[in-house]
Amino acid sequence: MGNQLVIKMEKVDTDTGKVIESTELKRHDLKCPTGPHDFGLNHREQLDLLKEIQDKIMAGETDFLK
């Protein structure tokens, strides 16, 4: 049995606090690093995660332009 970190992004109604949409962006298995390159997310994983976050933010903002 291991551990994972789950990174989620939620769109929330600020008046009610109700979650409108919940998206799982990444699951990251926690394991013992074997060297300095095994700590955290590698550069590609970081960029992919930031891209997903930015895409979700922009999608939410474009709703106002319709």
Side-chain angles (χ1 to χ4, degrees), residues 45-58:
E45 290 171 313
Q46 292 175 37
L47 290 176
D48 289 345
L49 183 58
L50 286 171
K51 180 188 179 310
E52 287 187 62
I53 292 168
Q54 180 74 339
D55 288 348
K56 281 288 187 188
I57 291 171
M58 290 175 67

Side-chain angles (χ1 to χ4, degrees), residues 5 17 24:
L5 292 176
E24 184 177 301

Side-chain angles (χ1 to χ4, degrees), residues 9 11 21 51-66:
M9 188 171 208
K11 183 177 182 180
E21 178 185 339
K51 180 188 179 310
E52 287 187 62
I53 292 168
Q54 180 74 339
D55 288 348
K56 281 288 187 188
I57 291 171
M58 290 175 67
E61 291 174 339
T62 57
D63 288 344
F64 294 105
L65 302 175
K66 294 179 182 177

Side-chain angles (χ1 to χ4, degrees), residues 9-55:
M9 188 171 208
E10 294 181 336
K11 183 177 182 180
V12 178
D13 182 311
T14 55
D15 292 331
T16 65
K18 180 181 176 187
V19 175
I20 300 166
E21 178 185 339
S22 181
T23 305
E24 184 177 301
L25 300 177
K26 181 164 185 57
R27 284 185 177 263
H28 182 78
D29 292 326
L30 295 175
K31 58 185 184 286
C32 182
T34 57
H37 59 282
D38 286 337
F39 281 96
L41 301 176
N42 66 39
H43 188 70
R44 177 82 264 152
E45 290 171 313
Q46 292 175 37
L47 290 176
D48 289 345
L49 183 58
L50 286 171
K51 180 188 179 310
E52 287 187 62
I53 292 168
Q54 180 74 339
D55 288 348

